[in-house]
Amino acid sequence: MRFANPEYLWLLALAPFMATYLFFFRERDLPSFRFSSLSQTTGLQNGAGIRAFVLVPGALRIMGLVLVVLALARPQKGLRSEETTAKATDIMVCLDASRSMTAIDFKPDNRFQVAKSVIAEFIKGRDQDRIGLVVFAEYAITQCPLTTDKSALLSILDSLQIGVVGPDQTAIGVGLATCVNRLKNSKAKSKVIILVTDGANNAGNIDPITAAKTAAAFGIKIYAIGAGTPGDTMMPIDDPNYGRRMVQIHSDLNEDELLNISSESNGKYFRAQTEGALKSIFKEIDSMEKTDIKVKEFVDYKELYWPFLFAAALLILSELTLSKTFYRTLP
């Protein structure tokens, strides 16, 4: 809270003098009768009831005047709002949703669930950025365009399942091209694609290197993350005859391709073999892609003098009422 006219507060310095006069000097003005002899007044006391004739109305008057001064000073409550004057970073997350992402080398969950969890934490930490989501396997689709609505994006991410985009192939080039199409017209200071995959490009009609060069032409950086342990690992499959069972698969991650994708776009390649490594990679990307945000702050002030003025009027009216009724004096 603040006072719009604080100079009126100097008038409060008069309140102690008024109170001193009331409690120490005003008693001389108590109603009295003149007698030639005091013998008939023996036993009468100048008690609290008599003192109230002077003190109560005077105290109400002082408190009312104090509240009037506070109202004149115009107390106000500030309502703050912010306006961002510089755009931050636009980020498209490009997530592999092929069947191999169900491999369970990121125990206790599979690669896909761990990637979703780590990406969600990353999204929560990017308050000022627009973030979108593309998933790919045999083809690619935009699950969420660039948005600042983090709750909606997180809800979409949480509902993602393997199989929504033809899970048996991996079209990395198409996934990247879809992200580039979402970012190419962005006016953000920094434009980024975060690619998370565990395989090699084996589908689609767009070569990943061509997609990376296109990204570079639009000033878009690609951070490529290769997920999964090298060699053999286990993956669950649903067999129509035997139900769900575990099968052994061999990692077909093409690290050279991912390294070239990142270098072509002035980005960086990372390898994540554990959940902890994946978290560390996203933290590193988060620190590298911090953008200074210029924010203008506006403050709208709400006037609060009405309660003070109303209370002051009530006290002064009470003082006048008591002076003309219960505490009326003659002459």
Side-chain angles (χ1 to χ4, degrees):
M1 189 175 74
R2 72 161 199 173
F3 291 97
N5 301 117
E7 61 273 11
Y8 286 104
L9 295 177
W10 287 104
L11 294 174
L12 294 177
L14 298 176
F17 296 101
M18 296 171 65
T20 300
Y21 171 77
L22 176 66
F23 287 96
F24 293 101
F25 298 102
R26 188 79 168 96
E27 285 190 20
R28 298 175 183 177
D29 297 333
L30 285 173
S32 61
F33 290 97
R34 293 179 180 269
F35 291 95
S36 58
S37 173
L38 296 178
S39 59
Q40 300 300 317
T41 63
T42 303
L44 293 179
Q45 298 179 359
N46 184 16
I50 301 299
R51 292 170 61 86
F53 275 95
V54 174
L55 300 184
V56 172
L60 291 175
R61 187 181 309 157
I62 292 172
M63 289 189 291
L65 292 174
V66 166
L67 290 174
V68 168
V69 170
L70 292 176
L72 287 173
R74 292 178 57 200
Q76 297 177 330
K77 179 181 179 181
L79 304 175
R80 297 182 180 274
S81 60
E82 293 183 349
E83 178 183 312
T84 303
T85 59
K87 293 183 179 179
T89 304
D90 279 352
I91 302 170
M92 288 300 301
V93 177
C94 192
L95 178 60
D96 189 341
S98 60
R99 197 182 305 276
S100 61
M101 287 290 284
T102 61
I104 57 172
D105 49 350
F106 281 13
K107 296 179 180 179
D109 260 323
N110 60 43
R111 297 169 182 172
F112 191 68
Q113 293 300 326
V114 168
K116 289 204 306 178
S117 175
V118 175
I119 291 168
E121 289 303 312
F122 174 79
I123 291 170
K124 292 174 184 177
R126 307 292 297 196
D127 294 333
Q128 302 290 341
D129 302 318
R130 294 195 304 170
I131 304 178
L133 176 64
V134 166
V135 295
F136 67 93
E138 183 179 347
Y139 53 95
I141 59 173
T142 301
Q143 285 288 335
C144 183
L146 290 168
T147 181
T148 56
D149 188 346
K150 300 301 189 295
S151 60
L153 176 57
L154 290 169
S155 178
I156 292 170
L157 178 64
D158 183 63
S159 65
L160 280 182
Q161 299 293 331
I162 297 293
V164 295
V165 282
D168 294 324
Q169 290 181 295
T170 307
I172 296 175
V174 176
L176 291 175
T178 304
C179 291
V180 171
N181 189 52
R182 290 290 177 178
L183 288 168
K184 64 182 182 180
N185 296 322
S186 167
K187 303 299 182 182
K189 184 176 180 179
S190 180
K191 295 178 284 187
V192 173
I193 296 172
I194 301 177
L195 169 66
V196 182
T197 183
D198 67 345
N201 187 75
N202 56 21
N205 56 1
I206 300 176
D207 178 67
I209 303 302
T210 301
K213 290 180 178 179
T214 305
F218 287 106
I220 302 169
K221 287 185 289 187
I222 300 174
Y223 293 111
I225 303 173
T229 57
D232 297 330
T233 188
M234 303 302 292
M235 181 184 77
I237 64 166
D238 293 316
D239 191 298
N241 296 318
Y242 300 101
R244 173 157 290 200
R245 61 190 181 90
M246 303 298 293
V247 298
Q248 182 173 289
I249 62 168
H250 184 80
S251 174
D252 62 349
L253 182 67
N254 189 338
E255 289 196 276
D256 290 338
E257 183 177 62
L258 295 179
L259 184 61
N260 289 334
I261 288 171
S262 57
S263 61
E264 285 286 349
S265 61
N266 198 31
K268 189 175 180 179
Y269 170 66
F270 304 89
R271 180 65 190 269
Q273 299 186 29
T274 64
E275 179 179 356
L278 188 60
K279 288 181 178 179
S280 297
I281 290 167
F282 269 90
K283 285 181 180 178
E284 184 175 345
I285 295 172
D286 182 58
S287 64
M288 288 190 296
E289 289 300 328
K290 291 295 185 184
T291 304
D292 293 333
I293 306 298
K294 297 179 182 178
V295 176
K296 288 183 179 179
E297 185 177 75
F298 301 90
V299 182
D300 294 324
Y301 290 102
K302 179 182 179 181
E303 296 287 350
L304 301 178
Y305 66 87
W306 280 108
F308 293 91
L309 203 57
F310 177 78
L314 191 62
L315 289 173
I316 293 174
L317 182 62
S318 299
E319 185 261 334
L320 292 174
T321 302
L322 289 173
S323 297
K324 299 300 181 182
T325 55
F326 294 105
Y327 295 145
R328 185 177 181 182
T329 60
L330 294 172

